[in-house]
Amino acid sequence: MTAVPQQYLGEVLVRRGVVPADRLAGLFDTMRERGQSLPDLVVAASISDETKIAQALADECGVDFAAKIDIDAISLDLASKLPIMYAKSHKILLAGERDDGTVLCYVADPFDTVAIDDVRALLGKSVEILVATSEVVTNAINRVWEKKEDGGGTLQGDHAQEEDNLVDIIDSDDDAPIIAWVNGLFAQAVRERASDIHIEPEERDVVVRYRIDGELYVSKRASKQFMAPIVARVKIMASLNIAEKRLPQDGRITLKIAGKSVDIRVSTVPTSRGFERIVMRILHKASVLLGLDDLGFAPREFGIMDALINRPDGIILVTGPTGSGKTTSLYACINRINDPSRNILTAEDPVEYEIGGIHQVHVHAAIGLTFASALRAFLRQDPDVIMVGEIRDKETAEIAIHASLTGHLVLSTIHTNDSAGAVTRLVEMEIEPFLVRSSVIGILAQRLVRMLCPTCKVPYEPTDYELKQLGLDPERLAWKAHRRISSRYQVQGLKYEFIGETMGAHPIFYKPGGCEACMQKGFVGRRGIYELMVIDDAVGPLILRSADAQSIKSAAILQGMDTLRDDGARKVIRGLTTVEEVLAATQEDVIVDE
């Protein structure tokens, strides 16, 4: 994208004798109608050719014109610092470096100062340009990349490349300050198990925060002068438009870090401070290998869930807020039933992990590929199991119900606070209650809570107030001290088996400590707490009568369903998490002492 006005460019071409003055006004009219650049219109109208235009622009800028590019003289390592998509879109090729450190690069548009300035900022070095025609630069870029690939090399940051050929950024010997700094962000994020990276412009500096186990921590700060090149580097890696700073953009980066393949979803938004804010979601491909038995289900819930996903038809819904692990649960279910005897199709936004043996579709609403349209197409693909990323509207819900009633198992997510709320949400979408009753077979609500670091967690005796908040009856927990026991206790009227340690009159609870293993945070990793409601003969009639969510939930509890807080209490007693984590993750009312 040319950084100077097209009117000035037109004046240059007229002054240099490339375009007759009387043709200029007509070219501007056509340019506004078609949205093409002025040089492209000049060539298309046979007024001049690319060589004359490039020579005129080079003369105007006082730089050399190159009729051809010697591929053998190009530094492959230097050229590969720009992903191929970015190099082609801006028609810019990094060629080599002079003894004084100045970087030479070929450009088709010497007025594209945005791209030239970004290269200068990224490499931290002076840039000297040489002008060539668009055709010569593009052909050279293609030949350089072919030569690079033939030599067994790869291009870091280009998500189209093969995973096995990715260069590990930890092994990179890149000495460009900004590139090394951004690479360090990714490496540190993976090392510290971060799920998200936030790069935020502040009044005087740039703040980098990592989200680790659901909590944000400030990790790095840099001078505000580096915000623009940092944003430019990330955008280049994600193949985003560097020149567009007014609108949000989304992209994707594929990297290899410490031997692990990592996908990174990139989102940018403009801010009132004049810079863009970047948030990057880190997706570890190994995470998809989690099995159903790795999610932390209690034996009852595991057995029920295993039975549900092996049903030939029906709808299974997973519900919870954003970031509660719904996608991980869906993938675990799909993995468990994935075998050659089943045709499994998924519609996702986006496809976070690619799974062998499963046919996945990335929905794209802008071109009409929605969840609903993908579902319709799936029904003509002879499916056995269909996974839909989310039921957002009536149309998607109706097609999902139709699929389940015609002999298909459908798995999807829906945004509600608990399992019973998913039923009322479908009814609010104007789905008939009898269709909900006849199609939905199970609803799993879930949250994520942080797990205590096993190395440094600190035991303490819980208060009666803490026990009451978890729904535990202190009188039934009056066990003998300092021995391992097997006993039964009640959680909101339901009986459970507990095997664990006790201290005094109560079981041992734990609080976070801090050590090197957990980076002084006291927690390592997260695990789900679950509420699994089966649509059975007790719950079904209430759905048909359009009963409220609380009535449906109460009926399910009487049938043996554990609530989110019940499951959380179980994990607290087992020493896996804390009372505070469970209370923060669940939304039941706080119990007040009388």
Side-chain angles (χ1 to χ4, degrees):
M1 179 181 293
T2 302
V4 300
Q6 293 288 305
Q7 289 84 352
Y8 174 73
L9 185 58
E11 293 175 5
V12 171
L13 297 180
V14 170
R15 188 167 63 250
R16 297 285 176 178
V18 177
V19 178
D22 58 351
R23 300 288 300 274
L24 194 58
L27 289 174
F28 281 137
D29 292 338
T30 305
M31 182 181 68
R32 283 188 289 269
E33 293 174 3
R34 300 182 182 177
Q36 291 179 275
S37 68
L38 187 59
D40 289 343
L41 288 176
V42 171
V43 175
S46 300
I47 298 174
S48 186
D49 57 41
E50 278 196 81
T51 300
K52 291 181 180 179
I53 294 174
Q55 286 178 326
L57 297 180
D59 292 341
E60 180 70 19
C61 295
V63 298
D64 292 335
F65 169 76
K68 63 180 181 178
I69 297 176
D70 183 3
I71 301 301
D72 293 333
I74 300 295
S75 169
L76 302 185
D77 290 337
L78 181 63
S80 64
K81 293 185 187 300
L82 294 180
I84 187 172
M85 297 304 296
Y86 178 82
K88 282 186 172 181
S89 68
H90 289 272
K91 295 182 175 59
I92 182 169
L93 174 64
L94 304 186
E97 191 172 340
R98 296 192 186 279
D99 293 338
D100 61 359
T102 300
V103 175
L104 299 175
C105 63
Y106 291 96
V107 299
D109 182 2
F111 289 147
D112 189 356
T113 56
V114 172
I116 296 169
D117 287 344
D118 285 333
V119 169
R120 183 182 296 113
L122 288 171
L123 301 180
K125 298 176 181 179
S126 300
V127 175
E128 180 180 329
I129 63 172
L130 299 93
V131 179
T133 66
S134 296
E135 182 180 5
V136 168
V137 174
T138 301
N139 289 340
I141 291 172
N142 290 332
R143 290 175 61 192
V144 166
W145 257 253
E146 290 172 1
K147 186 175 180 180
K148 180 78 172 175
E149 291 173 354
D150 290 342
T154 54
L155 305 179
Q156 177 182 316
D158 187 359
H159 63 264
Q161 59 192 309
E162 292 296 326
E163 176 185 326
D164 292 341
N165 292 330
L166 289 172
V167 174
D168 196 318
I169 64 172
I170 291 181
D171 297 332
S172 173
D173 58 358
D174 207 313
D175 59 353
I178 296 299
I179 294 178
W181 195 84
V182 172
N183 285 352
L185 287 186
F186 293 130
Q188 182 180 350
V190 170
R191 185 169 59 251
E192 297 187 3
R193 303 176 294 100
S195 61
D196 300 86
I197 304 173
H198 293 229
I199 303 178
E200 303 163 339
E202 297 292 343
E203 185 175 355
R204 297 181 179 178
D205 54 9
V206 181
V207 176
V208 177
R209 296 193 292 172
Y210 291 151
R211 186 176 295 278
I212 303 173
D213 296 333
E215 300 290 325
L216 280 171
Y217 301 92
V218 175
S219 175
K220 287 187 177 183
R221 292 181 181 271
S223 173
K224 191 173 182 179
Q225 64 178 315
F226 296 114
M227 187 66 195
I230 290 170
V231 171
R233 174 57 185 166
V234 173
K235 280 187 167 184
I236 286 175
M237 296 179 75
S239 297
L240 299 179
N241 184 358
I242 288 184
E244 180 56 75
K245 297 178 173 64
R246 301 167 299 171
L247 298 174
Q249 296 187 69
D250 295 304
R252 188 167 182 169
I253 302 171
T254 299
L255 294 174
K256 181 173 286 186
I257 305 175
K260 300 177 182 178
S261 294
V262 178
D263 282 340
I264 301 170
R265 293 209 313 255
V266 180
S267 172
T268 71
V269 294
T271 70
S272 60
R273 298 184 184 276
F275 292 100
E276 293 165 282
R277 183 180 188 272
I278 296 178
V279 174
M280 294 176 279
R281 169 65 56 86
I282 301 174
L283 304 172
H284 298 273
K285 294 189 176 182
S287 298
V288 75
L289 300 177
L290 286 177
L292 198 64
D293 50 354
D294 297 321
L295 297 182
F297 282 118
R300 173 187 178 273
E301 280 69 27
F302 176 82
I304 294 174
M305 201 67 189
D306 190 38
L308 290 176
I309 62 177
N310 280 285
R311 288 270 299 268
D313 54 26
I315 297 177
I316 301 172
L317 296 175
V318 181
T319 183
T322 300
S324 59
K326 299 188 297 295
T327 301
T328 299
S329 295
L330 286 178
Y331 277 128
C333 292
I334 291 292
N335 270 337
R336 189 166 183 84
I337 60 176
N338 182 19
D339 63 61
S341 68
R342 288 186 173 96
N343 181 20
I344 303 176
L345 304 173
T346 75
E348 306 172 54
D349 182 20
V351 174
E352 295 189 359
Y353 304 102
E354 295 182 0
I355 310 174
I358 295 176
H359 308 283
Q360 299 167 270
V361 173
H362 183 170
V363 301
H364 192 356
I367 61 174
L369 182 56
T370 61
F371 284 124
S373 62
L375 264 176
R376 285 197 199 93
F378 286 173
L379 293 178
R380 297 189 291 271
Q381 293 283 314
D382 185 30
D384 295 300
V385 181
I386 297 173
M387 188 184 98
V388 187
E390 183 182 349
I391 293 179
R392 299 175 178 173
D393 50 44
K394 178 182 178 182
E395 184 182 16
T396 307
E398 287 179 335
I399 301 172
I401 289 172
H402 173 70
S404 71
L405 295 178
T406 53
H408 306 91
L409 181 66
V410 180
L411 295 90
S412 188
T413 70
I414 191 168
H415 282 284
T416 58
N417 289 332
D418 58 11
S419 55
V423 174
T424 55
R425 178 75 183 101
L426 289 173
V427 174
E428 289 172 358
M429 290 182 185
E430 301 180 355
I431 303 299
E432 293 292 341
F434 76 89
L435 290 176
V436 178
R437 169 67 180 94
S438 57
S439 60
V440 179
I441 59 176
I443 304 172
L444 177 70
Q446 67 179 74
R447 301 289 190 275
L448 292 178
V449 294
R450 292 184 294 175
M451 294 290 101
L452 285 163
C453 175
T455 304
C456 63
K457 62 182 182 181
V458 180
Y460 75 99
E461 185 173 350
T463 65
D464 288 353
Y465 177 79
E466 288 177 309
L467 295 174
K468 186 172 290 187
Q469 293 306 308
L470 292 178
L472 301 173
D473 184 352
E475 293 182 1
R476 295 185 64 85
L477 293 172
W479 298 324
K480 294 182 180 179
H482 301 100
R483 68 183 182 89
R484 296 193 64 81
I485 60 158
S486 174
S487 182
R488 301 186 72 82
Y489 66 94
Q490 284 196 333
V491 179
Q492 296 185 355
L494 303 177
K495 293 183 178 180
Y496 299 94
E497 189 76 16
F498 167 66
I499 299 176
E501 294 182 358
T502 63
M503 174 186 288
H506 298 303
I508 295 179
F509 279 29
Y510 292 88
K511 57 186 177 181
C515 64
E516 292 184 3
C518 62
M519 295 176 290
Q520 306 302 323
K521 293 179 174 62
F523 296 93
V524 177
R526 291 188 292 175
R527 183 172 293 185
I529 56 175
Y530 303 98
E531 175 182 292
L532 179 56
M533 184 174 74
V534 179
I535 309 301
D536 54 18
D537 292 338
V539 173
L542 294 175
I543 297 176
L544 292 176
R545 294 199 300 268
S546 298
D548 60 89
Q550 187 55 51
S551 298
I552 294 173
K553 184 173 184 177
S554 298
I557 290 175
L558 291 175
Q559 295 302 111
M561 182 185 80
D562 293 349
T563 66
L564 287 165
R565 188 164 292 183
D566 293 341
D567 194 34
R570 181 185 296 112
K571 289 179 170 63
V572 170
I573 290 178
R574 290 174 58 195
L576 300 178
T577 189
T578 67
V579 175
E580 291 77 14
E581 282 291 306
V582 172
L583 296 183
T586 57
Q587 299 184 12
E588 300 176 26
D589 293 335
V590 173
I591 301 173
V592 179
D593 284 326
E594 296 179 355

